[in-house]
Amino acid sequence: MDRGLIEFYRENGYVLVPGLFAEEAASLRKECHDLAVRLSRNEDLDATWGSARAAVAEAKTTKILHCHNVQFYSAALGRLMSDPRLTEYAAAIIGTENVQLHHNKMFIKPPEKGSPFPMHQDKPFFPHERDSMIAAIIHFDDAPLEKGCLRVVPGSHKLGDLPHDGDGAWHLPFDKYPIESATPLPAKAGDVLFFSYLTIHGSGINTSSEARTTLLVQMRDPSDPPTVQTHRSRGQGAMLRGVDPNPIPQFEEY
Ligand SMILES: O=C(O)CCC(=O)C(=O)O
């Protein structure tokens, strides 16, 4: 592990680790696209934010395909989340031995019309006591600027909790935080982008001729409890590295 990258994260609230999954990116990309085909037989996978449609003129007709909790549909994607190449960085960034899954989301931004994400912090969606939550975006294909790569405001993880607009689908005010003003982080297939749930981030429209395919994994220290019981899902609480030192039953039995 490159300790310099961890230092970079502490200062900037994000870090792009190159090539972690470069070898398997193409096969995992296919795994994602096959999954989207299987799922879309039974449901509409579009997850475009209403606020994106309202604020970005071109987003009226865009789409983004998504799937929560991929481990219930693909063993390869499930294994990826506990792969030590990912979890060792996650542990070092969080500053813990133990890494717990909060949730994950596969996103496919389709060519020419892939939806944007308004700028936001993730914290309002699922606040935790010690702010240990981080996201890792695993890139399965190249994500240059024109594909709507992630954008961040470097150092914004130090700003604390910012007031968001919305009611559950939180975003920062569009006039103060236009997507184009944030720093784009183009990535290559196999790169992993880690960022704090306090780091301001979003992404633009995919206007390129190829899909942008990613898996976003939200992880936390299992000893950092949520302050609000919200954003719960079936796979939440699974250990990706180490142990849960103080396990408590989180859900009623199904
Ligand atoms: O994948 C992206 O472009 C951004 C996703 C995001 O910000 C989110 O799901 O909170």
Side-chain angles (χ1 to χ4, degrees), residues 49 105 107 109 117 120 122 137 148 150 201 203 212 216:
W49 290 13
K105 296 179 278 197
F107 284 127
K109 269 194 194 192
F117 283 90
H120 62 283
D122 284 333
I137 294 185
L150 206 85
H201 64 282
S203 63
R212 196 207 76 176
L216 187 157

Side-chain angles (χ1 to χ4, degrees), residues 49-241:
W49 290 13
S51 54
R53 291 230 196 279
V56 183
E58 300 82 359
K60 296 275 180 289
T61 56
T62 58
K63 282 199 182 312
I64 183 152
L65 309 185
H66 112 292
C67 168
H68 248 83
N69 282 320
V70 291
Q71 69 276 24
F72 293 110
Y73 310 102
S74 158
L77 293 173
R79 279 194 298 274
L80 181 64
M81 290 190 294
S82 56
D83 188 306
R85 287 170 289 178
L86 179 76
T87 58
E88 275 176 23
Y89 269 100
I93 286 169
I94 296 172
T96 175
E97 286 301 310
N98 307 313
V99 179
Q100 190 176 45
L101 177 68
H102 188 263
H103 68 277
N104 63 76
K105 296 179 278 197
M106 176 190 84
F107 284 127
I108 300 177
K109 269 194 194 192
E112 287 156 24
K113 53 174 175 53
S115 298
F117 283 90
M119 301 306 291
H120 62 283
Q121 295 174 313
D122 284 333
K123 181 168 180 181
F125 292 86
F126 32 84
H128 279 60
E129 213 167 277
R130 291 193 290 106
D131 298 337
S132 71
M133 189 82 71
I134 62 166
I137 294 185
I138 306 169
H139 295 82
F140 299 124
D141 37 40
D142 292 352
L145 181 58
E146 61 273 19
K147 264 202 197 178
C149 65
L150 206 85
R151 289 171 177 260
V152 298
V153 177
S156 52
H157 63 308
K158 296 180 180 170
L159 298 176
D161 303 11
L162 298 171
H164 282 62
D165 294 337
D167 184 13
W170 305 106
H171 63 89
L172 289 161
F174 294 108
D175 50 346
K176 208 164 158 207
Y177 297 94
I179 296 172
E180 312 73 51
S181 67
T183 305
L185 300 175
K188 294 277 182 206
D191 292 356
V192 180
L193 174 65
F194 294 89
F195 59 96
S196 160
Y197 85 159
L198 283 168
T199 300
I200 298 173
H201 64 282
S203 63
I205 294 181
N206 181 4
T207 56
S208 79
S209 56
E210 192 190 74
R212 196 207 76 176
T213 313
T214 53
L215 179 67
L216 187 157
V217 189
Q218 288 282 358
M219 295 165 278
R220 66 184 173 197
D221 180 341
S223 304
D224 182 9
T227 56
V228 182
Q229 291 300 335
T230 182
H231 213 287
R232 301 169 82 178
S233 65
R234 200 151 63 109
Q236 200 164 97
M239 291 309 298
L240 304 180
R241 182 183 198 268

